[in-house]
């Protein structure tokens, strides 16, 4: 059974760097075909895809946020980390991590519950 | 980037109705299209991937169709649990996997 859990600060100040961790179980990112992505959703708004990391370390990013995002994995800890620099109040959102794999053609078949991040001074 | 446009943005319907939601891509995504259902305060749930493949456990009243730039999600007979917001997402390999803006299905 695959599960994912996001963790990180609930409040960050403008200009700070946000670091979010996704702890997962039920699969390994060292296994061919596996991947984890990050998606966010501002209150009352649509989903926005941020980044994805494949088992082979390919890392596509949202073009509009590419300069601010870094996604990485630690296969020994079953963790994926997303950092976002220069946070702004418009980045206030619920941040989700989700599993994607070859079996589902990299659609997000399992999601974490999400973590709400507020950006405010 | 590929832009995904859903229509309508809001859809009012009743239990038992047949409804369809359309998703259009600004360029071809072949069949790399997924549909998700999201209820308030919850994470999205995958309903359909590869445009028409029903995820395990999803009721057969849900179906997906289309390829290239035009796709649809159809619910054949609405049940109370189906009132939610629906999103399409393209996932053309190694491109940004854009979501549509969502369709709120309400009573």
């Amino acid at each position: 059974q695959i599960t994912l859990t996001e963790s990180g600060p609930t409040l960050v100040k403008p200009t700070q760097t946000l670091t979010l961790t996704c702890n997962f179980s039920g699969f390994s990112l060292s296994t061919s075909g596996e991947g984890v992505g990050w998606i966010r959703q501002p209150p009352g708004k649509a989903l926005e895809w941020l980044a994805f990391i494949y088992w082979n370390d390919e890392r596509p990013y949202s073009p509009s946020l590419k300069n601010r995002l870094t996604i990485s994995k630690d296969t020994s800890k079953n963790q994926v980390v997303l950092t976002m620099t220069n946070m702004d109040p418009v980045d206030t959102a619920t941040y989700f991590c989700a599993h994607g794999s070859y079996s589902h053609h990299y659609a997000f078949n399992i999601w974490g519950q999400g973590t709400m991040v507020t950006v405010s001074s | 980037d590929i832009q995904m446009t859903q229509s309508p943005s809001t859809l009012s319907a009743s239990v038992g109705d047949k409804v369809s939601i359309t998703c259009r891509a600004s360029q071809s995504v072949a069949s790399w299209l997924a549909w998700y259902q999201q209820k308030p305060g919850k994470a999205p749930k995958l309903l359909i991937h590869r445009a028409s493949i029903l995820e395990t456990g999803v009721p057969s009243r849900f179906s997906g169709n289309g390829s290239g730039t035009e796709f649809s999600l159809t619910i054949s007979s609405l049940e109370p649990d189906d009132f939610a917001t629906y999103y399409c997402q393209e996932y053309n390999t190694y491109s940004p996997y854009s979501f549509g803006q969502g369709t709120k299905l309400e009573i």
Side-chain angles (χ1 to χ4, degrees):
Chain A
Q1 179 189 3
I2 291 173
T3 64
L4 303 100
T5 305
E6 306 89 347
S7 61
T10 57
L11 178 66
V12 298
K13 296 184 187 316
T15 76
Q16 286 187 336
T17 293
L18 171 69
T19 299
L20 295 172
T21 301
C22 178
N23 288 285
F24 59 85
S25 62
F27 69 99
S28 172
L29 268 179
S30 60
T31 299
S32 176
E34 299 290 345
V36 172
W38 284 95
I39 306 98
R40 72 178 179 180
Q41 186 172 39
K45 296 190 177 180
L47 300 166
E48 179 182 17
W49 183 90
L50 299 177
F52 194 88
I53 188 163
Y54 290 87
W55 83 98
N56 62 2
D57 221 31
E58 292 277 355
R59 311 178 195 196
Y61 292 98
S62 166
S64 61
L65 293 168
K66 184 174 184 176
N67 291 340
R68 299 174 53 205
L69 293 174
T70 303
I71 190 170
S72 62
K73 60 182 171 71
D74 186 330
T75 54
S76 65
K77 294 182 179 178
N78 282 350
Q79 283 183 347
V80 170
V81 175
L82 181 77
T83 62
M84 181 180 291
T85 62
N86 195 25
M87 293 292 285
D88 183 271
V90 300
D91 297 313
T92 294
T94 297
Y95 288 75
F96 298 97
C97 64
H99 171 260
S101 71
Y102 180 78
S103 66
H104 285 77
H105 310 100
Y106 298 104
F108 294 123
N109 64 318
I110 306 292
W111 294 61
Q113 82 281 3
T115 186
M116 179 66 194
V117 177
T118 301
V119 184
S120 175
S121 54
Chain B
D1 297 7
I2 298 175
Q3 308 300 320
M4 308 300 291
T5 303
Q6 290 182 231
S7 60
S9 296
T10 306
L11 180 56
S12 298
S14 301
V15 173
D17 286 352
K18 178 179 180 179
V19 298
S20 291
I21 299 168
T22 297
C23 179
R24 289 187 174 87
S26 59
Q27 62 190 76
S28 177
V29 298
S31 295
W32 304 113
L33 193 285
W35 290 97
Y36 300 87
Q37 177 193 67
Q38 187 181 33
K39 296 183 178 178
K42 301 293 187 181
K45 172 188 174 183
L46 178 65
L47 299 176
I48 288 169
H49 63 101
R50 196 77 189 269
S52 62
I53 300 175
L54 202 64
E55 176 66 347
T56 302
V58 173
S60 58
R61 64 181 180 273
F62 291 90
S63 63
N65 210 340
S67 66
T69 61
E70 188 146 341
F71 302 85
S72 63
L73 171 70
T74 299
I75 310 172
S76 60
S77 179
L78 280 171
E79 296 200 1
D81 191 51
D82 300 337
F83 292 94
T85 300
Y86 293 84
Y87 293 93
C88 64
Q89 182 207 10
E90 64 86 11
Y91 49 105
N92 206 24
T93 309
Y94 295 124
S95 78
Y97 305 143
S98 304
F99 288 91
Q101 82 278 16
T103 295
K104 184 177 182 180
L105 178 55
E106 59 183 24
I107 299 175

